[in-house]
Amino acid sequence: AQTVTQSQPEMSVQEAETVTLSCTYDTSESDYYLFWYKQPPSRQMILVIRQEAYKQQNATENRFSVNFQKAAKSFSLKISDSQLGDAAMYFCAYRSATRGAQKLVFGQGTRLTINP
Amino acid sequence: DVKVTQSSRYLVKRTGEKVFLECVQDMDHENMFWYRQDPGLGLRLIYFSYDVKMKEKGDIPEGYSVSREKKERFSLILESASTNQTSMYLCASSVIGALGVGYTFGSGTRLTVV
């Protein structure tokens, strides 16, 4: 079974600075998808960024980018120019690309605080 | 705006009560999921359904059941609520086969069992 580990329960960063959230996963599969979700105090889970394992190029969405290291099974999220609105819980998630696989496996979450 | 709607944002129930958590989606998604979210444990899958009347156990199904009589509605049932079921419950849906798209989530139901 696949597992996802986020080893940083809490992180904080100064506004306008850069922060990196860590995520590692364990799988024997070669094809899969990885996601980062944000959960603000409103509790609505928002998809931040996703990465296909077969793509070597790291995904980027505006101020959010990932460092995908397939051999190391690592998938970190970098937030540049941090803003107050980035404060939230962040979850890393894994999904198999096997036909019929539907579920997401989540990590434990990292609470990110932005200091003004 | 497409949505996953959970019927209650907060719920307080007594030990031993039968509890129904309702989830409705308006996106014609085949897949629907129930997760519980606990501090330090992240989101853990309770049950999911890929079609009407079809269901599969997730990682922590004990003490729960589900019902999916219509495509848009997926209910989570706590047959006899216990205090260790106090948690945040999140419903989600997705298109079957669209593995790279991720889920659409509801806003969660925070259940307290006293």
Side-chain angles (χ1 to χ4, degrees), chain A residues 8-13 19-22 88 110-114:
Chain A
Q8 305 155 316
E10 297 181 349
M11 292 281 287
S12 63
V13 64
V19 64
T20 299
L21 307 184
S22 300
T110 297
R111 182 174 299 281
L112 178 64
T113 302
I114 312 295

Side-chain angles (χ1 to χ4, degrees), chain A residues 39 43-44 50 101-102 104, chain B residues 31 35 37 99-100 103 105:
Chain A
Q39 186 184 44
R43 305 191 325 214
Q44 184 67 54
R50 61 172 168 253
Q102 301 296 331
L104 282 172
Chain B
N31 294 328
Y35 284 82
Q37 180 182 349
L99 301 179
Y103 294 172
F105 281 89

Side-chain angles (χ1 to χ4, degrees), chain B residues 1-101:
Chain B
D1 193 19
V2 293
K3 276 188 179 178
V4 175
T5 303
Q6 294 185 231
S7 55
S8 301
R9 190 164 175 83
Y10 296 95
L11 212 52
V12 179
K13 296 292 182 180
R14 295 196 179 277
T15 301
E17 275 193 76
K18 190 169 185 176
V19 180
F20 293 85
L21 302 184
E22 306 287 348
C23 176
V24 177
Q25 51 98 1
D26 65 359
M27 296 165 286
D28 202 35
H29 285 175
E30 296 87 356
N31 294 328
M32 296 188 76
F33 306 84
W34 276 107
Y35 284 82
R36 66 176 279 176
Q37 180 182 349
D38 300 289
L41 298 177
L43 279 71
R44 293 178 292 165
L45 182 64
I46 304 171
Y47 268 98
F48 67 101
S49 168
Y50 53 88
D51 200 354
V52 176
K53 297 191 186 294
M54 304 303 290
K55 60 184 179 184
E56 288 203 20
K57 292 180 179 179
D59 300 315
I60 52 165
E62 297 78 17
Y64 303 94
S65 62
V66 291
S67 172
R68 194 168 182 198
E69 297 296 319
K70 294 184 177 182
K71 189 176 185 179
E72 67 271 19
R73 185 181 296 271
F74 191 37
S75 302
L76 179 68
I77 304 158
L78 287 66
E79 296 290 344
S80 177
S82 64
T83 55
N84 62 14
Q85 292 178 310
T86 292
S87 186
M88 170 81 79
Y89 291 87
L90 289 170
C91 177
S93 70
S94 71
V95 176
I96 199 164
L99 301 179
V101 174

Side-chain angles (χ1 to χ4, degrees), chain A residues 45-111:
Chain A
M45 294 277 277
I46 301 163
L47 178 63
V48 174
I49 199 166
R50 61 172 168 253
Q51 173 82 41
E52 295 92 339
Y54 64 86
K55 288 188 177 179
Q56 291 188 346
Q57 186 173 8
N58 290 324
T60 299
E61 290 286 344
N62 300 314
R63 297 183 294 108
F64 298 87
S65 62
V66 298
N67 183 5
F68 173 48
Q69 302 287 330
K70 191 172 183 179
K73 297 179 183 176
S74 171
F75 183 61
S76 60
L77 174 69
K78 185 171 82 171
I79 306 174
S80 303
D81 185 25
S82 299
Q83 299 176 0
L84 295 178
D86 295 332
M89 281 291 290
Y90 286 81
F91 291 97
C92 178
Y94 170 102
R95 193 179 206 178
S96 170
T98 303
R99 182 180 173 83
Q102 301 296 331
K103 70 177 186 180
L104 282 172
V105 179
F106 287 86
Q108 299 88 340
T110 297
R111 182 174 299 281

